[in-house]
Amino acid sequence: MSAPSWDRLPVLALRDLVFFPHMVLPLLVGRTRSLNALAEARTEEGLLAVVAQKDPEVDEPVAADLHRTGTLVRVLEVSPLDDGTHRAVFEGLHRIQVERFIPSSRTFRGAARRWDPFPLPDEGEGRVLLRRVERLFQEYARLHDQIPGEVADTLLRVEDPERELNLLAGHLLVPTTEKQRLLESEGVAEGLRRVEELLGRELEVIRIEEELDHRIRHQMDEDRRRFYLQEQLKAIHEELGGEAQGEWGELEESVTQTHLPDHARERAERELSRLRKMNPAAPEAAVIRTYLDWILSLPWSTRTPDNPDVSRAEEVLEEEHHGLEEVKDRILEYIAVLSLVRELKGPILCLVGPPGVGKTSLGRSIARALGREFVRVSLGGIRDEAEIRGHRRTYVGALPGRILQGMRRSGSRNPVFLLDEVDKVSHDGHGDPGAALLEVLDPEQNRTFTDHYLELEFDLTSVLFVATANTLAGIPEPLRDRMEVIRIPGYLDTEKREIVRRFLLPRQVERHGLPPAALELTPEAIQTLIQEYTREAGVRELERSISKLARKVARRIASGRAGAGEEEATSHLTPGDVRTLLGPPPFRKDGDVEGDERVGIANGLAWTPAGGAVLEVEVVVVPGSGRIQLTGTLGDVMKESAVAALTFARSRAAELGLEGRFHEEADVHIHIPEGATPKDGPSAGLTMAVGLISSLTGRPTRTDTAMTGEITLRGRVLPVGGIREKAVAAVRAGLGTFLLPQGNEGELERLPAEVRNRLEFVPVRTVDEALELTLIRRPGLEVDAPPGKDLFGGSSDAGVRISQ
C-alpha cells in the first residue's frame, strides 16, 4: 500500500507530550505559533501534524528543536478560554514522518508522509508477546493510582494489535523521551518489546515504593509507641525525683532532636541506654557522656551554602593576594564547576613553596571566596598516628583526632580545611601520621573516614582540603600521589613592591597606631628594603623591616621629635632614611660583582626550601700530587658531581691545551661559600665543570651568566628540577643569562612573563656548549688545538687558536 503524503501540513509543537494514533485528547493551546497552526488546520479539513519538542524548556522552538516522527491528528473541537488560550480536542489518525519543515512567519508547516509500522505476526512469538504485555499492563494499572481500573479492561478488548500498542503506549506514565522511542518503533513487535521493558521497569519501581511506604508506616508506628513509653518512663522518673534522670532526659532530647545519620543515631541510643542503667557517679558514666557530646556536636548534615560566584571569588582573591595566578586559577575553576553541577567532591590541593609566600593565608582567602568556614590544623612535628585518627576510648582522657576536632570547630561538613606544614610530619614507634593521612586525603576513601575514638564513619567528601609544604621531599610518595601539587615560586621584586604598597605598609601603620600618612616610603626606599635588607623568596623579613621602620617612626612621634602638627608628623622615607634607621645593609645591592676577571669562579643556581639561590663555585688549582679537595659542607651527590667534572676535564686535556698528566702534578680545591650551610644535589655539576676548566685554562667566566644542570662523564647536560625557582633567583640577583639543560626547555613557557623578559635563556645539550657561552676569550696566551677539533670538541677545518 502506498503511503499518502501531505506537502504543507500545519505543525503543532508539543511540550512534554507525545501524541499517539487512535487517541482522543483535549489540549490547551496558548503559544502564538500554535494558535496560528490550529486556525490554519480548521480551514484545511481539520488536519494537523503534532510533533514533540526535544527540549520542553524551549519557548520558541525552531526546526532543529522538533522530532521528525509525529502523529497526524484531526481537530474535533476548539473552545476559546478567558485567558487567551484555546481548549482543543484532537483525534490521532496515523503516524507520520516529517520529511522537511517549511519556514513560515506565522507558524510551522511541514512536508510529511504516512508511516505505518510492520504488522504483528498472526501466530507464534508475536501473539505470545502481546499476551505478556497485556498481563503486565493489567498489573501496572492495578498498582498505579493515576490509571483508572476500567482503562485496562477497555484497552484489552481492542482487536487490532497496532491500535492496542498505541493506546497502551499513550497511557504509560513514563518520560517523554521513552514515549518518543515507542512512537519511532519500526514494527508492532519492536514496539511491544519496548512496552514490555518499560512496564517491567515501572512495576519494579512501584513495588519498591510500596515496600518503602510499608517500612515508613511501620517505623512511624514504632516511633509513636516508643514516644509513648518514653513519656511514661519520664513521668515515673519525675515521681521518683531523680536529679540524674533529668540530665539523661536532656541528653535523650538532644539525641532525638539532632539530625543524625542512622548508624550514628543507633550508636547514640545504645550508649544512652547504657548510661541510664549506670550510677551517675561511676567513672564510665562520665566517659559515655563525653562520647555522646562528641556525637551530638559533629556537623553530620550541616552545610554552609556555597557562593559559586566566580566574579566575586576573583575579587576576593585579588583583594587579599597579589600574584599567585596558578593557585587563583585552580580555585576559580573549582568554583566555576561548582556553579554548574552544584555538588562536587572537594579537591585535595597541596601548595608547595618557600616560607613567607602566603600559602597559609591563601587558605583563609579561599574559604572567604567560597563563603565557607575555615579550619587550620598545624601538622608540624606531630609524630603519633592518634593525632590524626584519635585514641580509642579504652584510654583515659581519650579524644578524637585533629580531623574531627577541626570539623567540630567549623560547625559545617564542607569547610575549607588547611593542613599546614604537611611536610614536617615525623614518625617513630608511635606510628606514622603520614600513613593515617592517606585515608583523609583520598577522595575514594574519606567518604567513610573512621576515627578511633568515635568508631563511626564520617563523610569528608565535601571538605576542600588544602595542604601546605615547603618541599615535597618530606612527603611520602603515596600521600603525594593523592594531592594536586601547585608550586608557588618566590616573589619577584616588582611583585614585592606591589605587596608592600597594598598590604604590608598599611597593615604595619595600623598595627603600630600611626596616622595613615605618618609612614610613607618612596619607590626607591622600597627597592632599597627589598634589595639591601632582605634576600628571601617570600615577604616575611620584608614585613619585619617595615615593622622596624614603623617602630622608629612611632618612637619619634611619641617623643615629640616629629613636631606637634599633624602635617609635620608625616614621614616620607627615602633610601638614605632607610639606611639611617635600619643601619648598614646586610646584603649587597643586586648587580654588584667582583669585576670582570673571575678565573675559576662560576655562578650556579640552586633550589632550597626557601626558594632559589645563586651560589658561586670557586675552583683553585695549585701544584701538588693529584688530590681533589671539596669544602663547603657538600653532600655525597655533589661530591660525585665534582669528581665527574674533573674526569671530564681530564678526558678533554688535549683539546684544552693541558698536559696529559696535569692531574698528577696539581691539586684541585673546589669550594662553595657559606660553608656552614649543607648543600647537595646533582644540579651543580655543570657549574663545577665550568669553574674547573676556567681555573685550568686561565680563562675568566662571564659574571652575568649563571647555570644549572647535571653532567655525565661524556659531557652531556641532563635535566634537573627547580627551574622556576632558580630563574626567579637569577632575576633577583640581577643576572642576564641563564644556561639550562635542553631537557628543561619546555618549562620556560610556565615562567612568569617578567622572568622571561629579564633573562636570556640558553638551553645547552653539552658542557662544550656551556663553555663556549661562558668563558671569555682573552687576548694574550694562545693554545693550539689538534687539527679538526676546536677547543671544546667541535669540528673545524684547521687548528683553532683560542685566545686566553
Side-chain angles (χ1 to χ4, degrees), residues 51-304:
V51 293
Q53 291 183 199
K54 297 177 182 178
D55 183 1
E57 301 298 326
V58 177
D59 236 3
E60 296 293 336
V62 295
D65 296 322
L66 303 178
H67 288 286
R68 295 279 180 162
T69 304
T71 302
L72 180 71
V73 301
R74 176 179 288 113
V75 182
L76 300 180
E77 180 186 338
V78 177
S79 304
L81 302 179
D82 294 338
D83 59 358
T85 61
H86 287 63
R87 180 182 181 277
V89 179
F90 300 102
E91 178 189 8
L93 300 178
H94 308 290
R95 187 170 60 161
I96 59 172
Q97 182 75 19
V98 180
E99 303 289 348
R100 70 181 186 281
F101 289 101
I102 302 170
S104 173
S105 59
R106 299 185 71 250
T107 183
F108 278 112
R109 281 187 176 272
R113 63 177 177 83
R114 179 171 173 175
W115 182 28
D116 292 324
F118 299 121
L120 185 72
D122 291 337
E123 298 178 355
E125 181 184 352
R127 291 299 173 182
V128 173
L129 177 62
L130 182 60
R131 296 295 173 261
R132 283 206 310 266
V133 171
E134 289 174 347
R135 285 196 300 270
L136 288 174
F137 187 79
Q138 282 180 316
E139 184 178 1
Y140 177 72
R142 181 177 58 82
L143 294 176
H144 212 296
D145 298 336
Q146 299 183 33
I147 299 179
E150 60 272 13
V151 170
D153 298 333
T154 303
L155 294 182
L156 297 181
R157 286 198 293 268
V158 177
E159 297 294 335
D160 181 15
E162 180 190 351
R163 183 185 183 92
E164 185 174 356
L165 169 64
N166 289 327
L167 293 175
L168 286 172
H171 283 85
L172 288 179
L173 302 176
V174 295
T176 306
T177 53
E178 298 289 354
K179 286 194 171 184
Q180 183 66 33
R181 286 184 64 227
L182 291 175
L183 187 64
E184 294 173 358
S185 301
E186 293 287 341
V188 176
E190 178 186 343
L192 288 173
R193 278 192 289 269
R194 289 181 178 176
V195 170
E196 181 184 24
E197 177 187 347
L198 288 173
L199 285 172
R201 199 163 63 206
E202 290 296 308
L203 285 171
E204 185 66 25
V205 172
I206 292 173
R207 293 190 189 104
I208 293 173
E209 289 177 348
E210 282 193 335
E211 183 179 351
L212 289 176
D213 288 342
H214 176 72
R215 288 182 184 176
I216 291 172
R217 285 194 298 270
H218 179 72
Q219 183 65 39
M220 289 176 63
D221 293 340
E222 285 291 324
D223 290 344
R224 281 195 291 267
R225 177 174 172 273
R226 184 179 303 171
F227 176 76
Y228 176 72
L229 293 175
Q230 286 173 349
E231 289 298 317
Q232 283 188 327
L233 190 61
K234 187 186 298 183
I236 294 172
H237 288 154
E238 289 177 357
E239 289 294 328
L240 295 174
E243 295 181 2
Q245 298 302 330
E247 183 179 349
W248 303 162
E250 292 176 4
L251 276 174
E252 183 178 356
E253 185 178 356
S254 297
V255 170
T256 304
Q257 294 180 354
T258 304
H259 187 69
L260 299 174
D262 292 339
H263 67 287
R265 181 176 299 282
E266 181 182 350
R267 175 65 67 87
E269 291 174 351
R270 189 164 68 243
E271 295 295 326
L272 185 58
S273 177
R274 289 181 57 206
L275 186 61
R276 283 185 173 280
K277 301 172 184 177
M278 286 185 182
N279 186 338
E284 182 69 13
V287 173
I288 295 178
R289 280 200 303 270
T290 304
Y291 179 76
L292 287 172
D293 286 341
W294 271 101
I295 291 180
L296 297 174
S297 61
L298 285 174
W300 297 96
S301 58
T302 306
R303 295 179 62 93
T304 303

Side-chain angles (χ1 to χ4, degrees), residues 536 539-549 551:
E536 59 178 345
V539 292
R540 282 183 183 159
E541 189 61 37
L542 182 58
E543 185 168 17
R544 291 190 193 102
S545 298
I546 296 173
S547 176
K548 188 174 182 180
L549 289 175
R551 292 196 300 273

Side-chain angles (χ1 to χ4, degrees), residues 427-475:
H427 60 275
D428 56 16
H430 292 84
D432 185 358
L437 284 172
L438 294 178
E439 182 183 7
V440 177
L441 298 182
D442 190 333
E444 300 302 324
Q445 298 183 39
N446 61 13
R447 178 183 298 278
T448 56
F449 172 72
T450 305
D451 187 275
H452 287 160
Y453 178 80
L454 284 186
E455 295 181 333
L456 293 172
E457 294 180 354
F458 192 88
D459 188 358
L460 296 175
T461 52
S462 298
V463 180
L464 197 163
F465 284 103
V466 180
T468 69
N470 295 131
T471 173
L472 292 176
I475 304 176

Side-chain angles (χ1 to χ4, degrees), residues 13-33:
L14 300 181
R15 288 201 278 200
D16 251 343
L17 177 66
V18 176
F19 206 112
F20 286 87
H22 313 298
M23 294 184 66
V24 177
L25 284 178
L27 298 178
L28 290 178
V29 182
R31 288 186 286 186
T32 304
R33 283 196 166 197

